[in-house]
Amino acid sequence: MNIVLWADLQCPFCYTGETNLKHAIEELGIQDKVKMDIKAYEIHDDSLGNGILPMKEVFIEKHGMSDKEAEQTIEGINEMGRNEAGLDLNFGNVRESNDHDAHRVYKMARERGCGEQVRNALFEAYFGQDLVLHDRNVLLDIAQKNGLDRDEVKQMLESNLYNIEVENDQMEADAIGIESVPCFFIDLEKIPEHITKEAFMEILKKHM
């Protein structure tokens, strides 16, 4: 079974949806029957700066929400992650930034056999620790703690390695009309952006 997923590392719906999918695969015990390719999709608006504003302020400034509306939206997102996937999101305090380099680190980790550990650590750093994924020291610490050589990652980040791979993911998404994430394809069937573990299980059973 081939699964392709476009996602961003700062998107709570991506984190929740991806976790729901992984939980569904584990619950069905079909890990050895699934080949998954996770592609990069960057959602950050560079006009908002790199890690300057907490998400509550982004909602107020970018979407024109009131203080109360922003708080209610954030709590709804936190509750979604908690209830659906058991994730402890702290979305009101996260600080969105350009995470192009974080996608590059994930691609390097995947080639080195530690992609899942690094990806989980990137999600946890952003959603659980309020760390800024534009900060290369944050990325180097995550890489070092999860199976990569710090000096090799530093050299990679200072080069152009994996830039084309990340850009190609975005171009491919644009070419097939993906405008928001997460976006899942299971054996070429396009799945709605965000569904529960139970819904994923039904779809996976069908494709089995």
Side-chain angles (χ1 to χ4, degrees):
M1 188 184 309
N2 292 304
I3 299 176
V4 182
L5 160 63
W6 272 267
D8 187 70
L9 292 161
Q10 298 177 128
C11 166
F13 302 100
C14 296
Y15 188 20
T16 302
E18 189 174 323
T19 303
N20 287 342
L21 173 59
K22 290 177 179 177
H23 286 171
I25 291 170
E26 291 169 4
E27 193 156 326
L28 291 171
I30 58 171
Q31 295 92 323
D32 60 336
K33 296 179 174 63
V34 172
K35 180 181 179 182
M36 188 182 304
D37 185 12
I38 302 178
K39 296 179 179 288
Y41 189 103
E42 299 175 59
I43 63 173
H44 177 63
D45 180 350
D46 285 333
S47 69
L48 293 170
N50 283 317
I52 297 172
L53 297 175
M55 190 53 61
K56 180 179 175 180
E57 297 303 318
V58 171
F59 279 139
I60 293 170
E61 180 174 315
K62 183 178 179 180
H63 301 294
M65 293 183 182
S66 68
D67 188 83
K68 184 177 181 180
E69 288 171 336
E71 288 181 353
Q72 290 175 337
T73 300
I74 287 165
E75 180 50 37
I77 290 171
N78 289 340
E79 186 175 341
M80 169 199 69
R82 185 166 55 246
N83 292 344
E84 287 191 15
L87 299 174
D88 187 15
L89 304 182
N90 188 23
F91 197 59
N93 292 333
V94 302
R95 291 171 292 151
E96 188 179 290
S97 64
N98 185 306
D99 62 350
H100 183 85
D101 283 343
H103 286 290
R104 293 169 67 203
V105 170
Y106 167 67
K107 287 191 176 292
M108 181 181 188
R110 185 171 179 180
E111 281 193 358
R112 303 295 176 85
C114 54
E116 186 168 2
Q117 302 96 292
V118 168
R119 191 172 186 84
N120 289 339
L122 289 167
F123 277 134
E124 171 58 25
Y126 183 70
F127 289 102
Q129 302 172 40
D130 306 332
L131 297 177
V132 176
L133 296 187
H134 185 67
D135 187 331
R136 287 189 171 178
N137 286 323
V138 169
L139 299 180
L140 290 171
D141 287 344
I142 290 171
Q144 184 177 8
K145 292 175 183 176
N146 291 278
L148 292 172
D149 181 272
R150 188 184 186 95
D151 290 336
E152 287 186 6
V153 177
K154 185 173 185 293
Q155 290 174 7
M156 181 275 288
L157 290 172
E158 292 171 350
S159 74
N160 292 320
L161 287 172
Y162 301 103
N163 276 331
I164 291 176
E165 288 85 345
V166 173
E167 291 163 5
N168 283 346
D169 286 353
Q170 185 70 53
M171 287 192 291
E172 186 179 356
D174 293 342
I176 61 178
I178 295 174
E179 297 181 345
S180 61
V181 286
C183 185
F184 303 86
F185 287 84
I186 299 180
D187 287 339
L188 301 181
E189 178 187 356
K190 187 176 182 180
I191 309 302
E193 293 178 7
H194 173 233
I195 60 176
T196 64
K197 178 191 73 174
E198 290 73 20
F200 269 126
M201 289 177 70
E202 292 305 311
I203 294 169
L204 292 168
K205 288 176 184 176
K206 180 179 68 174
H207 284 271
M208 289 166 61

